[in-house]
Amino acid sequence: MAHLWQHPYVNVFKHFNLSTWKKSTKEGEVSTAMDKTLKGTVFRITGSIPAGNYIQLPKTGSQSLGLTGRYMYLMFRPIPAKYFVVHVDVATQDNLVVRVSFSNLFKEFKSTSTCLQFPFICHASKGSISSLAAVGAKAQIGPTPLSARWTVLSLDFQYILSTYLNRKYHFIKSIRLCANMIVKNIYTSDMVYDPGISFSESKKRGMIPGNAAPMPREMAFPLLKGSDWHEVYDIIRFPADSEMQPFDSIQFSDRSKTGSIVEPARQLSKTVDVSKCVSDRVTMINKVTAPREKKVRKTVRTELPEIGTVDTWSVTQDNRGDVHLFAKTDDDVVVHRDDKYTGREITRDKVKPPAIITGKKTTYTQLEPDPILKLKKIVGFGGGTFKEVLWAQEGTTVVYPCYAVVVAMKVDTGTQRFFIGHTDKISAVAITGNSSLLASGQTGSMSLVRVWRFHNAECLSMCKTHAHSLHSLSFSSDGNVLCGVGKDGQGKNMVVIWDCSKVLKHREMSVLAKAHTDVDIARMKIAPFDNTRMVSCGKENIRLWRVKEGSLRSAPVNLTEHHNMDLTDICFEACVQPDRESANKLLYACSKSGHILKIDYKKVTVQHVRRLLPVSKKTDHKDIKVDTKGTGICINSMYVSEAFCVTGSDDGFLRLWPLDFAHVYLEAEHEGPVTAVNLSADGLKILAGTITGNIGILDVSTRGYSTIMRSHTSSIYSVAIDPYRKHIATVSQDKTIRVWDAETLQQLYDFSSAKECPCTISYHPLKQVFACGFENGIIRIFNVSTTTMLAEHKQHNSMITGLVYNPKGDYLYSCDSLGTLVLYDITTDTYSVNRVLTNTVARGERYSPNALTVCPDGSRVAFIGPSDFTVTVVEGKSLDEVLRIDVTNMYPTDTRTSIDTAVQVSYSTTKLHHLLVTTANNKLLKFDARNGRLLTEMDHIHRSGCTSISVYDTGKYLATAGDKVIKIWDYEMKLDINFQVFIGHCEKINRILFTPDGIGFISVGEAIYIWDFLAFHKPPPSEGRDVVLDKEQEELIKEMERLNNSMGKSFTEVPRRSPPRPTIRFDSPGRIDDLSSIYKSSVGDIDDIQSVTSEKEEVILGPELEEVNQQMSSDEDRQIAVIRSGNQVYTNQQTSLHSPRHVTADSGNHIIITSTTVPKPNIQPKPSTNKQSKPTVYKHYKHRPTSHGIAQRRYTAPPNQAGLRLSSVIGYNGNGRNNMIWQQDTGLFAYTCGSILIIEDLNTSEQRHLQGHTEEISTIALQNDYQVIASASGGYEGVSPSQICIWDIKDGICKKTLSHHEYDIVCMTYSRDDRFLVSVGDYRECNVVLWSTNDYSVLATTTTDYPIHDIQWDPSTVNEFSTVGENATVLFWLLDETVSEVALNVHVADVPGELVSVGGKAVSFTALEFGNDSTLYIGTSHGKITAWDTRQNSCFMLWDGDDAEIDLLLCNGNKLLTGSCNNNVKLWSLDNINDIKQSNRPPALQHGLTLEDEMTLNGIITCAVFDPNMEMGIVGTGAGTLWYINWSERTSLRLVSGHMNKINGMSICNNGLLATGGDDGSVRVLTIKDREQALQFQVLDQKCTCLSFAPPSQQSNQSIPNIAAGFSDGTVRMFDVNKVEMVLKMQPHGVSVTAISFSSDGRMIISGSQDGILCVSSITTGLTEEDTSVNAPLLWLASSNDRRVSVWSADWSRDFCELVDWLTFPAPAFTPDGSIIDKNNKGDSKSFPPTLACFSKEESDIILYVGYGMQKNVQFYSLSQRKVVRTAALTHWATSLDVSPDSSLIAIGINERLLKLLDYFEGSFQDFTGHSDSVSHVNFHLMCSLILAAGYSDILMWEVAL
């Protein structure tokens, strides 16, 4: 709303009440005075130093004016003989603040990415001595002349930012007026005011947009009656309409003669150069149509044009895009153009002038897409500092500086986010404790501090308080205070404290306090317990600081005898809390001498000093002396946690110490000194940075070290790409050659030389070989794969400036700084020299590394030479000169005395035949590479010279580097805005190039910058719009066209008798190939095959191809031949050219030729090769791998005799897609878990289980009458088929089982009238099947080219549905019921180019949903949501829905729900969607939709159902949870919860609780009665491998027993469920714990590990009592996987435990699959069934044993008889075992997904199905007749019926 109150203008001084100085500030000599000329009060600013005498608006730099007016009017008068300066900080649309400064101190225009400096040329009043003595503009540069007058300065900021920085103006942030000047006022407005125009004249001109308005009274200067305004005052506009030089300066333009309306004289027509930008055209138009000296007035038209006041002029644009000016409207105008070959003027045609004058152009063309580059990754670290590497709060993101960019990198994926805005090297970085804010500061003279919002890299605020050399930043623990250390203007250290509490909400920072000191400060940090206290260290000092009453004061720490130390880092004790007393607060500091000081904060004294000395290394060499004196280790950085101290030192070691520094826990050696260390929040990962540019992570738990970043340590000279192996090679000033993987950017090879510096490099176009040139003139050839040198040449005696291979790979060219050019024959092994030419190339090192360029076909080589003024082209094979171009003769009309020289030279693509040359005067010249003729010229491509140039392979784009920026140009330069500018580099960019695949862009300078080139579009499939024909085919087509014309009617004009059918295609990529399955039977009239489909009609799939071919073969009068691109013809050789033929082309690459008098054809379609790879999108269902299928032999009892009945199921299958149903009206709630479909009553929690599948259910569909549910599952390795079960909801029975798909079914849906069901197969078959719900027969089936991810029926019709899938495919399907059999017709929608690929990666459409008013919403794999008009099948809108894949769309009314892979559920308002649809604009990124609400859940969103008002609903996640969400109440409740990973442990207690542990590291406690999750303990990065409840005897009836759990890292943790906390953690094992149990009295925990070790640990002390799991009174046993069982007798109260029996059971010498057992291979034991044993509840001396043996059985071993007394046969090997505590039943789980119930005495058994994976755990409930069985992640509760 800011533009409303600021219209029409804002009086700035009045608005901010300048006289009170409450909202503004003044410094130095600022006073008020009465001016006689203006007859009012003015402000006088004087002083010898402008920077010390000024008026600033607003008062502080953290505040903002917020003035949105486009024009700023400054009423001022410069003080004579003085200098003045004005600074205006302007904000852009992308939150960048640009300082626009002008002064008569400035001699020339200067520009950076954040600063523009314009020289101000003061104007002397007319007739004064200064004006008469001034010759040109340069004579007036300098102090203000004595006759300076009051001036109105008008600045157009929109023009300034657009022209000079290619950015969009937003608002004015601050204004500073510096001495010496007198100021009246400042105004801002969106209107152009002219003080020389009266209100009467304005009315005559017409108050229309674009015309100048008279100056308002409040802004006007006083003027005596009859006086001319321009004779008394001056007005200066920037930009000016004049052509006065210098152009980039603010100066007076004489406009005193433009105050009245004049009648123009007739002039010749004007021709405008179309290569100029729109601003040049408008300037020229305004100049021609400007009012002249007053003459006899003619009648003025009532409707005036926007471009001027004259009605005899007009502007028009012809069909070529040329702009013309017409001087009179009643005559024809001749258009003049220059011939592009001769350069002479030719007359083309006459153009009729327009009837009305065209208004001002409101739109302009620009380079698309915008932006065209997106920074993907930076390979580099450091630059300004190597001491800053930080962890983000979550512990998975690393933050570090890389020259002028701050990088946040995900450790696990390597993806990077960037904080771009600094213009110099970043010297300090700080992050808040909750990672909400990030602060960064740059070094150099512009020591700017920026504060960013961390999660989206948005710059919230910035301030420049330090003069230079900022080197330290520190945030307080809560992020409200920021501390910075730098230098002031006098070179002293300056400490500044900022208040950042308002940054997030108001983007404001204010200075709390600052202090200047001579004390050296190397590091400064804010105390974690008090935001007003800080501590610093430096050379010979440690100081404590405090902010009190706006001042910053410090006190030194008494270092006693250690006062001479050079301290490098300081930190607080990690466990310091705000509520602790000061006496307990400690500091640690480290020094270069290896000392670590422990400091008492309250006493301000040193408490303890330790010195870390290196340990002497043992050696066998006697001549090596060991330093016994103990030189200290230089410690550069340290970090203190609650238990450890991490140090990084100059010896390259990262060390982990205890706080007493008694010994080293861990250490890691690096290539160079370690300069930065940091510890993650969990204390398990140590981050280290080195001065060699490496960043690494040491994992404390695993002792593993990984390097996440390697980089050059100095400027990178050049880069080369191996296109086939996707390798990048770089050479750097650090004397290394490095080869990187282009995909991961990991360093692969490193070639280094201590004495030689490489300077240029080139990759062989075919081999894994590169050539490298050095500064000493040597050229070496390296083989990358073998890391060997193939050849070496020393023909050069100076620095190599150019080195390039021939594109064909047969020649190599090199040149040096002394002008020598050498040709090598690389077909020989030694790279023999063919020719050497001296004094050929221009001398100098400035041309490196791009001195040579080779044309794409390799025939010619171009370079600058032999002088700087010429470009020479030579033959590639012989180096014979063929062409020489003199660049000094390019400007015959240029009157400048300076001679231009060539700087860079480069060839364009082959089809363009252009040679590009950049010059020292910043020109870009395009020459015809064949004859050297100048084609075009472009001025001012860069400000300070072009350093590199590259052309895109297609010839559409051009890239240049210079001024530390990258520009991407439209190659033809025909747009209004021809380029885009990209910042990020802070040093010279030495080389840029497009990647060979066209997807990326690389720039190197201080680091390697990898960009995504967003203009890349994946090339269309071979079936495109352009048909490539050879000459014979073209002649054949022409002959047929002639015959068609002779008949008087085209074939396309024959009336069609039936709907259009497709032409026959053979293996058509990019379209649906398999047409044979579209119709089940019958074929229409053969004439339908010949029907022609126009380009605007839908492509419809027709009858079976085989039946068509058969019917055609039976007709001897017809033949069809197909001509495809690639010059491949399928036809019969008996074609007669004399018979009439008809030719037609469909929308693909095919041309159909039909004949009527030719015998039978012999045409066979190519076999389909539709083999798809697995889609990477999450939306596409992928079956979880299983090792065993369901048992084929199973023994199930009748329902009335079954011993078990399925009672309930715990869990939800988060791996399914759309596998949940909820209907608000009927209360129907259904979901899947494994292979079971569950219908649950939400009121009573009762479940009904529909069992019919044997594999995991992938998706379900509900009929619209809510009576039938269809569920689908895949097959298992050909054993069990894929099936669809049709369920009757009321009766709970399966009415029908359908089987047609071969693999998994990803989605299915019912039609709106429930007459049809459509199912879609997965990526392995890509088929769509249409079923009839009448008898569930297959009506039609077809195969698509790409996998389908989602399907929906159109709610407005009953016979149309849509699908989306891989490679951005959108298919609109139609059920054609007009023929005898139902057919499927399909239309392939045209997808906008920006949706096909992003960053070079193909985009998939993952979800779709129909809305109201024929709108279809489609979600994409890169987070965008598109809106389509189904009436036109076209996309009209897209917007950013999330940062990750959109997997769910749900539309009800005017609200849209989206779910993504980022675990987000978002609710959007669609109120203005119809307005956007009706605007008929091309699809573009929109921001008009309103995000009403959003929630983040615990997993990827897989399904959702909401009520019609979109207020409440149920959402399913990939974490296995179903959530109830209420938007109005902002609540989310768990309805169903379960594991998504494998369950490794399960235990039951008497309180009715179930404890489970899984691969995700969670320990969950659930209530068995209502199946709800009560609580969850989570251990990160570990697996819970086993668990057990404590025995109930040791617990009270009210309390819940503790849980002991073992984990994969060898630790044992005990959890108190009552207190919901972990009460004990110990690590008795070094490997994964495999079994755990409490002793019978609960005092001990017995655990076993993977290496066979048993440990007995006390729960009170945590100590391991004995290194020696199922309990019995006085006895306990343990079983191992080698079929051994040990039985122990124990009395824990007496610390007694001894071995009673040791059992070993026999087994065959082969594994279960028949292979021979390798005794030396321990891994073979993992393939055996587990060894299980337990004590019998029926017989006290019996042990039950199952395991791998001679037979599949249960063995009953007697401890008293010491033998197996009996066995019970089994059908499968057992995987789990339990014995009922109160009945003679045994429960056994097997791999083949069966639960067996075995009678203890008789051995009879029954099998029960229901699990979709191996039954890994079975447990009897202690208090009731229940069996709980776990299969992977689902838990089934069985009720014992016996």
Side-chain angles (χ1 to χ4, degrees), residues 391 393-395 641 679-686 1580-1581 1625:
W391 282 106
Q393 181 190 22
E394 77 278 4
S641 68
L679 198 63
S680 61
D682 57 5
L684 297 179
K685 294 180 181 179
I686 304 174
L1580 299 178
D1581 301 325
K1625 176 185 177 182

Side-chain angles (χ1 to χ4, degrees), residues 1394 1425 1435-1439 1476 1481-1487:
E1394 59 267 29
I1425 303 173
C1435 176
F1436 67 90
M1437 177 187 176
L1438 66 151
W1439 74 93
I1476 299 175
R1481 287 179 291 182
L1485 200 61
Q1486 299 284 346
H1487 301 282

Side-chain angles (χ1 to χ4, degrees), residues 260 420 485 565 606 610 634 824 1038 1040 1048 1078 1082 1134 1141 1292 1452 1769 1794:
S260 59
I420 300 177
V485 182
M565 290 183 182
V606 177
R610 296 179 177 86
C634 177
Y824 306 87
K1038 290 180 180 179
M1040 294 187 170
I1078 296 295
S1082 88
Q1134 300 178 1
R1141 294 181 176 86
N1452 284 342
L1794 295 182

Side-chain angles (χ1 to χ4, degrees), residues 1396-1411:
V1396 176
S1397 65
V1398 174
K1401 297 182 179 179
V1403 173
S1404 296
F1405 288 169
T1406 52
L1408 79 161
E1409 175 72 6
F1410 281 92

Side-chain angles (χ1 to χ4, degrees), residues 1170-1203:
N1170 187 19
K1171 225 175 187 182
Q1172 297 291 339
S1173 59
K1174 182 182 293 186
T1176 59
V1177 297
Y1178 182 86
K1179 175 70 175 181
H1180 196 90
Y1181 172 79
K1182 305 172 190 69
H1183 189 84
R1184 179 176 51 79
T1186 54
S1187 56
H1188 296 82
I1190 192 169
Q1192 298 301 308
R1193 295 176 53 199
R1194 52 185 182 267
Y1195 302 89
T1196 58
N1200 57 348
Q1201 300 178 12

Side-chain angles (χ1 to χ4, degrees), residues 953-991:
D953 285 343
T954 61
K956 293 183 179 180
Y957 307 100
L958 170 69
T960 60
D963 313 320
K964 303 177 185 178
V965 301
I966 299 169
K967 289 186 178 182
I968 306 296
W969 303 75
D970 174 55
Y971 189 86
E972 299 296 334
M973 308 289 182
K974 290 184 177 180
L975 305 176
D976 295 332
I977 301 178
N978 289 305
F979 65 90
Q980 295 179 16
V981 182
F982 298 91
I983 63 174
H985 287 272
C986 66
E987 293 183 358
K988 176 187 174 184
I989 304 174
N990 295 314
R991 187 74 190 274

